[in-house]
Amino acid sequence: AHLEPTPGSIDPAAPVLFLPAATRDRTAVRDRLTRSGAPLSLAADVPDVLQMLGTRRFSLVVVDLANERTALAAVRLIRAQFPAIPVVGVIDSAQPLGASDAIYAGVTDLLAWPFDERDIAAVMASARDAMPVDPSPVRSDLADRLFEHSPSMRPVAEAMRLAAPRRTAVLISGEPGSGRQLVARTLHDRDHEFVNPPFVVVDCG
């Protein structure tokens, strides 16, 4: 059977998506990335990255931070729309102060330029280890993962059925570990009219 890729999902065997910087030789960075053995896809700009992430599977995104202001804005956009995809920043070891800005913007790991194959392998292994249990922003099988047949869950299931098609905000409350995020994801999945936008988690803590 042929399975279509789920937009925004993580697959360890999937290609690496690379967003180069105009101020650094993209060929040099690309060549070092390809030495890792993972297939590499090259993005032209930020809209291209977002379009590619929405239609194909990638193991991670590598953003060259040489053009710092533009690159950090790109990282923020990627993390906002595809929070499950690891974003790795290529940073100059001669400018360590930029690392804190990159981490604050949302990069999950850093590659100090010039990096080698071992550095790339370590970053990819770290991305796999950090992969969430349910990495996809939109999963068609989430409704099947929520057990709704117990007496305590029947009122929740009915409230979800009424809330899913509405365009109003929904407050989900409960003890930690009670499945609030799963309920939110299931509501998002059942909202068929608006199912294309990604499910974005914002940690207000």
Side-chain angles (χ1 to χ4, degrees):
H2 176 68
L3 297 177
E4 291 297 321
T6 304
S9 62
I10 302 173
D11 181 352
V16 171
L17 180 56
F18 173 46
L19 177 61
T23 55
R24 197 197 311 270
D25 181 6
R26 70 173 62 193
T27 305
V29 183
R30 185 187 61 202
D31 289 348
R32 289 190 182 240
L33 289 171
T34 54
R35 287 181 201 166
S36 68
L40 186 71
S41 293
L42 189 66
D45 50 27
V46 176
D48 194 27
V49 168
L50 299 178
Q51 190 274 332
M52 293 171 78
L53 286 174
T55 56
R56 296 174 56 193
R57 290 177 185 262
F58 291 96
S59 56
L60 55 89
V61 180
V62 177
V63 178
D64 192 335
L65 302 174
N67 188 0
E68 188 175 327
R69 182 173 293 181
T70 304
L72 292 180
V75 170
R76 291 187 187 97
L77 278 171
I78 294 166
R79 296 296 292 161
Q81 295 194 34
F82 300 95
I85 301 293
V87 179
V88 175
V90 178
I91 193 163
D92 291 313
S93 54
Q95 296 177 329
L97 292 177
S100 58
D101 292 332
I103 292 168
Y104 186 74
V107 298
T108 51
D109 216 331
L110 292 168
L111 274 171
W113 178 257
F115 52 82
D116 59 26
E117 294 88 340
R118 290 171 298 178
D119 298 325
I120 302 166
V123 163
M124 295 189 74
S126 177
R128 283 194 297 270
D129 292 344
M131 188 185 302
V133 174
D134 178 30
S136 173
V138 179
R139 290 287 299 273
S140 61
D141 61 342
L142 275 174
D144 299 330
R145 296 185 177 202
L146 193 65
F147 186 75
E148 302 173 0
H149 304 294
S150 66
S152 59
M153 279 300 294
R154 285 180 195 142
V156 177
E158 177 61 18
M160 288 169 56
R161 185 187 66 80
L162 295 172
R166 298 183 181 178
R167 296 182 105 179
T168 58
V170 177
L171 173 65
I172 302 167
S173 61
E175 296 298 320
S178 59
R180 293 169 296 178
Q181 190 171 108
L182 183 58
V183 169
R185 287 178 179 270
T186 305
L187 276 171
H188 180 271
D189 186 63
R190 291 179 177 178
D191 188 356
H192 299 294
E193 185 178 352
F194 305 104
V195 77
N196 288 327
F199 180 87
V200 178
V201 177
V202 179
D203 185 355
C204 296

